[in-house]
Amino acid sequence: MTSSRRLSTVILPIHRWNRGGRPLWVRAEELGFHAAYTYDHLAWRTFRDGPWFGAVPTLTAAASATERLRLGTLVTSPNFRHPVTLAKELITLDDVSDGRVTLGIGAGGNGFDATTLRGSAEEPWTPRERADHFEEFVPLLDQLLREPTVTQEGRFYSANEARNIPGCVQRPRLPFAVAATGPRGMRLAARYGQAWVTTGDPKLFESGTPDQSVEAVRGQIARLGAACEEAGRDVSELDKVLLTGFTPGSPLESFDAFVDFAGTHFELGFTEIVVHWPVPDSVFELDTPLFERIATEALAQFG
């Protein structure tokens, strides 16, 4: 992954592939997006009672429908994944796409994924428990994607002679984009990430201001730098990815508003900004001509 200014999109996995899904991914490549991601959930928020397809099969289909577009998850989490089975799926996806996959990975939240695989009486993991699982999940997944055979006994996850031959097309493995804001997640990003992902400060989304959001994100980048220094790594080695849609303000209300928003965040050090593909009658509703103008013209405003 290289550090430059890039624009990418998220296509929610809500479209039947043969009834409108495939053309979206093809169009994302035609528009020149750097990457097209999808969410890796069992269900998500207001889309829970409608169509919602699996991330890895969707990305596999997208890999067969495109040639240059990078593909990935924003983000996969331990909420319903195990490193051994996930590694096998990722190696397959990396092979089908000929090395175009980025794994966005995070600790997960307390939404529907957090309880779907557990008994009805069980509570979702606490933030500490999510961090505990994530701290074990990422190193094991890293090892599984790098080594042909892995045996590892862990508190939460184990592998017994897990075979992953021939490994990833991308060497030594496909890149990780680690979503993190807390200290433990930042340390994982510094050690294992090729990129770092944020959505901003969630506490500011409903009641904060754009200026407060910028300062909060500036602080996150500073903490990432400290984590990289502790790990003996230059923070400039990591791409910095902002997933939009969860910060105060309305950066997509006009072309100029988006350019201002993007410019501010590129100046902070972000290398990639991700916008949601428009979804009518949802929080991601957006005029298609405006969306396509942003995709094709926004980056040119920065020289």
Side-chain angles (χ1 to χ4, degrees):
M1 303 179 74
T2 58
S3 293
S4 60
R5 291 169 175 167
R6 299 190 297 267
L7 194 59
S8 297
T9 190
V10 168
I11 301 174
L12 297 187
I14 59 176
H15 307 279
R16 291 184 179 274
W17 187 254
N18 292 316
R19 298 183 187 177
R22 184 183 187 278
L24 301 185
W25 296 85
V26 173
R27 185 60 176 156
E29 183 166 80
E30 291 172 347
L31 290 171
F33 281 114
H34 166 71
Y37 303 97
T38 199
Y39 285 178
D40 189 18
H41 292 294
L42 297 174
W44 192 73
R45 298 191 184 183
T46 58
F47 296 90
R48 183 183 189 185
D49 294 322
W52 189 274
F53 296 100
V56 174
T58 295
L59 292 170
T60 303
S64 296
T66 58
E67 297 178 355
R68 302 174 306 279
L69 187 70
R70 286 201 68 82
L71 306 164
T73 56
L74 279 184
V75 295
T76 293
S77 83
N79 266 348
F80 66 96
R81 294 290 190 182
H82 189 287
V84 170
T85 51
L86 178 60
K88 184 66 71 174
E89 292 185 351
L90 291 172
I91 287 171
T92 305
L93 177 57
D94 201 45
D95 180 69
V96 172
S97 69
D98 195 24
R100 290 186 283 134
V101 177
T102 296
L103 177 71
I105 187 169
N110 58 2
F112 305 124
D113 299 338
T115 55
T116 299
L117 298 188
R118 301 190 244 295
S120 59
E122 292 187 57
E123 295 294 322
W125 292 332
T126 65
R128 179 183 293 275
E129 288 172 324
R130 289 200 299 270
D132 288 342
H133 282 76
F134 194 46
E135 205 165 38
E136 190 173 299
F137 192 100
V138 174
L140 178 54
L141 184 60
D142 171 75
Q143 187 178 4
L144 288 161
L145 292 173
R146 290 175 182 268
E147 301 177 12
T149 306
V150 174
T151 295
Q152 182 71 42
E153 187 76 24
R155 178 184 174 194
F156 304 112
Y157 306 105
S158 298
N160 181 25
E161 296 188 8
R163 301 295 204 275
N164 285 301
I165 300 169
C168 296
V169 172
Q170 300 173 88
R171 295 293 183 177
R173 60 153 167 78
L174 55 81
F176 287 1
V178 181
T181 56
R184 295 167 72 182
M186 291 284 197
R187 286 195 291 269
L188 289 171
R191 182 173 179 185
Y192 295 100
Q194 286 64 58
W196 164 73
V197 182
T198 185
T199 58
D201 186 340
K203 297 189 294 293
L204 298 175
F205 180 38
E206 293 186 353
S207 59
T209 67
D211 287 344
Q212 288 174 326
S213 177
V214 168
E215 288 308 307
V217 171
R218 192 191 309 274
Q220 291 177 356
I221 292 175
R223 293 193 295 277
L224 177 67
C228 286
E229 184 175 1
E230 180 183 334
R233 191 173 180 192
D234 188 336
V235 69
S236 67
E237 295 178 13
L238 274 75
D239 283 320
K240 298 162 191 69
V241 182
L242 176 65
L243 174 59
T244 64
F246 306 99
T247 56
S250 303
L252 294 175
E253 67 181 359
S254 69
F255 180 78
D256 290 341
F258 179 79
V259 169
D260 288 344
F261 175 88
T264 296
H265 288 82
F266 283 141
E267 288 177 4
L268 287 177
F270 283 96
T271 55
E272 184 175 348
I273 294 177
V274 185
V275 295
H276 289 82
W277 197 275
V279 180
D281 302 318
S282 79
V283 294
F284 303 125
E285 186 166 17
L286 184 63
D287 180 65
T288 298
L290 172 58
F291 174 77
E292 296 202 348
R293 186 184 177 199
I294 287 171
T296 56
E297 300 180 24
L299 289 183
Q301 307 302 308
F302 306 106

